[in-house]
């Protein structure tokens, strides 16, 4: 039986019992007034809890103009949302940043309706590294401008939150910050020791740092538009990692991390699909 139904049955039984005792005169003596007050307090408290349970179980209606899902289909305001998407280079380096407004405008003119961008630093000289709460404000302020420009051009944005590879700040940097050495190893293919890098998915500190990064992004207020990221319909989706890797036979480690971080995002933005 669902919790809220059992709760209301309990309330009904309590009401019936109290009313029956009142009618029989069992609760009218001064000796029983304390019991009467306690029963009423219990009844009110139980009713309040039941109401909270009922509200919590109500399905949330999709917010206006937000991308939602219906089965395996994307929808906006109940209508199918079909789109052309593309990676766009707008985050890293002064040249990319300066060209960002025109890049997004041209993408929109070409019919692109969703763009994918990095929501973390690259560790370069002009950008702060992005691990946990250490995302540079310069990086985040530019991301604010990207979202504002995308909204002006009726383009939605998929935010990628970290990278497996070392060409930008990614799992090996998280591991280094957590005290795990040798995940970055130039002797290995792509400069990554996969056995060490897999610790990213299970290590307490890397998971804590990543959750903090997620919180800082999802709960951020855009300095251009004034809108919280979690309330911004421009954001199409959060992508946990670019090309998250796992060797054969160890997919469960990655799957558990995905489940944990997806739940974390939804705890910060209950409406995200």
């Amino acid at each position: 039986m669902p919790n809220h139904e059992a709760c209301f049955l309990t309330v009904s039984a309590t009401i019936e019992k109290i009313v029956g005792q009142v009618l029989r005169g069992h609760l009218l003596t001064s000796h029983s007034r304390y019991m009467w007050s306690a029963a009423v307090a219990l009844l009110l408290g139980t009713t309040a809890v039941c109401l909270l349970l009922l509200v919590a179980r109500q399905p949330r209606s999709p917010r206006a103009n937000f991308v939602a899902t219906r089965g395996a289909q994307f929808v906006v305001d109940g209508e199918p949302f079909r789109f052309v998407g593309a990676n766009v280079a707008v985050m890293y380096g002064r040249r990319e940043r300066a060209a960002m407004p025109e890049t997004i405008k041209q993408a929109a003119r070409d019919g692109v309706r969703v763009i994918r961008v990095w929501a973390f630093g690259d560790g370069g000289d002009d950008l702060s590294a992005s691990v946990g709460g250490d995302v540079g404000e310069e990086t985040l302020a530019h991301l604010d401008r990207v979202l504002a420009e995308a909204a002006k051009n009726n383009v939605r944005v998929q935010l990628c939150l970290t990278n497996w590879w070392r060409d930008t700040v990614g799992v090996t940097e998280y591991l280094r910050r957590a005290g795990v050495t040798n995940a970055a190893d130039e002797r290995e293919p792509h400069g990554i020791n996969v056995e060490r890098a897999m610790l990213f998915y299970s290590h307490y500190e890397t998971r804590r740092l990543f959750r903090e990064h997620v919180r800082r992004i999802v709960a951020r207020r855009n300095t251009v538009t004034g809108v919280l990221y979690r309330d911004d319909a421009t954001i199409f989706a959060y992508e946990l990692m670019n090309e998250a890797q796992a060797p054969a036979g160890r997919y469960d480690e990655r799957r558990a991390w995905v489940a944990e971080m997806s739940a974390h995002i939804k705890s910060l933005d209950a409406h995200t699909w």
Side-chain angles (χ1 to χ4, degrees):
M1 178 183 295
N3 289 339
H4 67 283
E5 292 181 11
C7 192
F8 278 109
L9 286 176
T10 301
V11 171
S12 298
T14 305
I15 292 173
E16 184 178 352
K17 183 176 181 180
I18 291 174
V19 171
Q21 290 181 342
V22 169
L23 292 176
R24 291 192 298 271
H26 293 169
L27 293 177
L28 296 179
T29 66
S30 59
H31 177 72
S32 61
R33 285 174 183 166
Y34 172 79
M35 293 301 296
W36 168 255
S37 299
V40 170
L42 175 62
L43 176 62
L44 292 175
T46 305
T47 303
V49 170
C50 289
L51 289 173
L52 288 173
L53 282 171
L54 181 61
V55 170
R57 288 181 63 87
Q58 296 305 308
R60 293 183 176 90
S61 299
R63 294 173 291 180
N65 198 37
F66 275 74
V67 176
T69 56
R70 185 172 58 203
Q73 185 179 52
F74 291 120
V75 295
V76 174
D77 297 333
E79 298 297 321
F81 178 64
R82 302 181 180 91
F83 60 90
V84 173
N87 292 310
V88 293
V90 294
M91 286 300 296
Y92 296 147
R94 301 188 186 283
R95 182 176 300 178
E96 282 188 12
R97 289 185 171 197
M100 180 269 293
E102 185 62 24
T103 300
I104 293 178
K105 185 182 297 182
Q106 289 296 334
R109 287 176 180 171
D110 290 341
V112 173
R113 299 179 67 191
V114 175
I115 60 175
R116 177 175 178 261
V117 303
W118 301 146
F120 54 91
D122 70 348
D125 292 337
D126 65 329
L127 293 174
S128 298
S130 168
V131 170
D134 293 339
V135 191
E137 180 57 30
E138 180 186 1
T139 300
L140 293 176
H142 183 70
L143 185 59
D144 293 343
R145 294 190 289 272
V146 169
L147 290 171
E149 197 65 33
K152 283 169 53 178
N153 288 275
N154 196 31
V155 170
R156 298 180 190 264
V157 181
Q158 177 169 312
L159 298 179
C160 183
L161 298 172
T162 195
N163 191 10
W164 175 268
W165 309 111
R166 290 179 58 196
D167 52 337
T168 61
V169 172
V171 298
T172 59
E173 179 63 17
Y174 275 91
L175 287 162
R176 187 187 70 80
R177 295 287 186 95
V180 177
T181 59
N182 301 327
D185 188 340
E186 298 299 341
R187 298 169 298 179
E188 300 287 341
H190 308 290
I192 297 176
N193 181 324
V194 174
E195 185 66 28
R196 300 292 285 172
M198 284 294 293
L199 290 171
F200 173 82
Y201 296 128
S202 58
H203 194 285
Y204 172 82
E205 184 63 9
T206 56
R207 287 161 46 227
R208 185 195 68 78
L209 288 169
F210 187 76
R211 286 195 302 269
E212 175 59 22
H213 175 55
V214 167
R215 185 205 60 78
R216 194 172 181 194
I217 294 294
V218 179
R220 179 174 175 81
R221 186 177 297 278
N222 191 306
T223 57
V224 178
T225 65
V227 178
L228 291 169
Y229 276 36
R230 63 188 174 207
D231 294 332
D232 191 348
T234 305
I235 296 177
F236 168 73
Y238 301 100
E239 178 185 356
L240 293 175
M241 185 191 299
N242 175 56
E243 299 181 5
Q245 303 292 298
R250 300 185 64 181
Y251 300 141
D252 285 349
E253 296 170 53
R254 179 177 59 187
R255 188 178 295 114
W257 179 84
V258 168
E260 176 187 356
M261 298 310 166
S262 297
H264 182 55
I265 289 178
K266 290 181 179 180
S267 75
L268 299 168
D269 179 0
H271 291 275
T272 189
W273 53 266

